[in-house]
Amino acid sequence: MLEIRQLHKSYPIGDSSLHVLKGIDLSVKEGEMVAIMGSSGSGKSTLLNIIGMLDEADQGDYILDGLPIKNLTEKKAAIYRNKFLGFIFQSFNLINYKSALENVALPLYYQGMKRKERLELAMFHLEKVGLADWAKHLPKELSGGQKQRVAIARALAADPKLLLADEPTGALDTKTSHEIMEFIQHLNDEGKTILMVTHEEDIAAMCKRNVRLRDGIIIEDKMVEQVRAQLYV
Amino acid sequence: MFDLDLWREIFQSINMNRTRSLLSGFTVAFAILLFAILFGIANGLQNTFQEAFGTDANNSIIIYPGRTTKANKGLQVGRRIQFKNEDREFIKDTYGDKVQFITSKVNKSVTASFKGEKNDYQLRGIYPEFMFIENNVVKEGRYINQNDINNKAKVVVIGKKVEEELFFKETAIGKYINLSGIQYKVVGVFTDDEGDSEESIIYIPISTIQRVYGNNDLVDFMHLTFNPEMSSAQALAFGMSLENKLKERFDVASSDQRAIRIRNMAQGTQKVDMMTASLSVIILVIGFGTLIAGIVGISNIMIFIVKERTKEIGIRKALGASPRSIVSIILIESIIITAIAGYVGLLVGMGVLELATPVLKDYFIKDPGVSNSLVAGATITLIIAGAIAGYLPAKKASQIKPIVALRDD
Ligand SMILES: Nc1ncnc2c1ncn2[C@@H]1O[C@H](COP(=O)(O)OP(=O)(O)O)[C@@H](O)[C@H]1O
Ligand SMILES: [Mg+2]
């Protein structure tokens, strides 16, 4: 599904530069549920963003589903993001003047799907996250957990191969976090490949594999016995 | 390519962010409002000018003969220059289509009577072309025609004033009036917007007047219009050439100022043209100024809007929006806001002008209107302006990196 070899990334800071990723090797197979861990500033988001084509590596190879991702034009990147990837963010990133339903339908709009069809499909996904009754509501009328569920529905709408989540529970209380995790586990059970950034041990324990970053390299990569979130709900 | 979904996206964005849209629209509306009013006033000034110069064909040239003041080629001073019918043919042959219409004229004073009524008028012998030179309008019946010339017909066309004075409530057409003892049939009545004096005239075929008064082919003076496509400089040159050619023909010294005189309306026209041209330049400058101010204004606000929408644009890109679709959204939103706001400004401006027309009349500003073609032009200009105003911000928006837009801070 995903192959990364000797990936480097630095950010220019004034005259010098900050070497954030110093040679990352990572390979993820279909159906995996991986937690990328590490302390704040260790480069987790940077790695995830490169995987998500929101950012580009300086060096190294990245192959997604057999496609080498390198020197993409903006247009190509947009198409790949739309086709292969679903994003879930810590701060939800819903469009504030669009209803929950319209937010979920947006990736389908960019796929060129007809309005009626995409609203139907968006409704189906909203139902899956249990928010059918909230379809017409604006994000500001929803709780944090509800917003994240809308974001999950949106990430799933275009049926991506890979789901990328950057601290999806970072802005939620423990109870809601567990609800969201239960939902994500459920998606993984259905076969979706999931890559998640977190710095919380208990959330990482709910994944099947933990990758730990420190000082720009992977210091640990292990399979874990998945803790089911259901136990906490 | 009409993409309904794209428009829906844009209208939702405009509608859900009303304050923002109103704010950006206001600049444009105000600029166009100002422009409409200034334009209307300038337009009104121009109308006043034009009216002052009447509607006599302003491409007309009158050629007067006089007496020589200089000896030339052995001919003595004080010789009288006399035009004849053939001189008209000479001018026509020499200048071809530089001459639009040309007539020779013979003027007499006559006493005209009908039944008991009697009055003195000017009688003018003319060719049919004179109607276009003088801008006479036939009110009833017809004008002098070529048949009348050929047949030396005893027919006349009378001015509206003549009709009023001699015929009271009777129709003049078909009646016979008596001019110094000879009966002429009235075949037409004309009006002239230069007023009463030009309507107190009786027109007669030139061949008839020449036959009746002396049985000769003598002409008092000639009146022509030059091809209206000539610039005023060309027209002035044409007048000079005409003068020289005629002086040569009549053996007049080229420095003789009195023997043959030419009154070229192009001289006056040139002045009016210059006035009008400078007014047009002023209008243009004002128009461009306000338009550019409007464009800069909306462009600034669009840049601000793009900044405000950075996050949204980042989200859209993360979800698969192409740079092009981002450009479309911002650009079309800018065009719509500019066009609608501009239109509102234009309408309000036109309303203000409408209300102010009676007041402006006192300041020599006549009919300060904004024409339909201007509205059409303004619409196109506004759309282009909106596109220009939106282009930079749109480009900027499309270059936003999703990673930068989505960073949490
Ligand atoms: N665009 C950027 N420009 C400069 N420095 C950056 C940029 N993005 C991230 N960084 C820096 O790179 C390091 C890693 O950031 P990040 O990947 O966000 O860490 P994490 O998600 O693990 O907290 C941090 O020190 C951060 O300040
Ligand atoms: Mg992070």
Side-chain angles (χ1 to χ4, degrees), chain B residues 164-200:
Chain B
E164 283 166 10
E165 286 168 357
L166 295 182
F167 290 88
F168 295 109
K169 291 188 176 78
E170 267 183 83
T171 51
I173 307 287
K175 306 278 161 50
Y176 285 81
I177 60 170
N178 188 316
L179 304 180
S180 316
I182 301 173
Q183 302 275 24
Y184 296 86
K185 185 177 180 181
V186 177
V187 294
V189 178
F190 71 88
T191 59
D192 187 308
D193 62 4
E194 277 167 273
D196 284 356
S197 66
E198 285 295 317
E199 289 177 342
S200 304

Side-chain angles (χ1 to χ4, degrees), chain A residues 88-90 92 148 165-172 180-181 184 196-198 203:
Chain A
I88 302 168
F89 304 94
Q90 177 175 1
F92 324 124
Q148 197 56 299
D166 194 347
E167 313 245 11
T169 59
L172 305 174
I180 293 295
M181 280 312 292
I184 293 176
M196 177 188 302
V197 163
T198 183
I203 296 295

Side-chain angles (χ1 to χ4, degrees), chain A residues 69-95:
Chain A
I69 306 299
K70 195 150 214 179
N71 299 328
L72 290 184
T73 61
E74 272 270 12
K75 197 175 156 191
K76 260 254 160 64
I79 294 169
Y80 285 1
R81 282 198 288 264
N82 186 269
K83 224 159 104 182
F84 294 130
L85 305 171
F87 291 94
I88 302 168
F89 304 94
Q90 177 175 1
S91 54
F92 324 124
N93 281 337
L94 300 175
I95 292 179

Side-chain angles (χ1 to χ4, degrees), chain A residues 105-176:
Chain A
L106 203 56
L108 301 172
Y109 166 68
Y110 286 119
Q111 258 178 11
M113 193 181 281
K114 289 220 171 62
R115 183 176 161 83
K116 192 163 169 272
E117 258 177 86
R118 67 173 188 257
L119 288 182
E120 263 169 25
L121 190 54
M123 196 62 194
F124 167 80
H125 285 290
L126 266 187
E127 262 163 31
K128 267 187 84 177
V129 297
L131 287 176
D133 293 341
W134 297 83
K136 293 275 178 283
H137 289 253
L138 291 176
K140 64 168 181 251
E141 298 158 345
L142 304 176
S143 71
Q146 285 174 322
K147 279 189 226 180
Q148 197 56 299
R149 280 193 278 162
V150 172
I152 291 172
R154 182 178 67 184
L156 293 173
D159 195 22
K161 291 197 160 71
L162 180 61
L163 204 59
L164 301 173
D166 194 347
E167 313 245 11
T169 59
L172 305 174
D173 60 49
T174 315
K175 185 172 170 292
T176 320

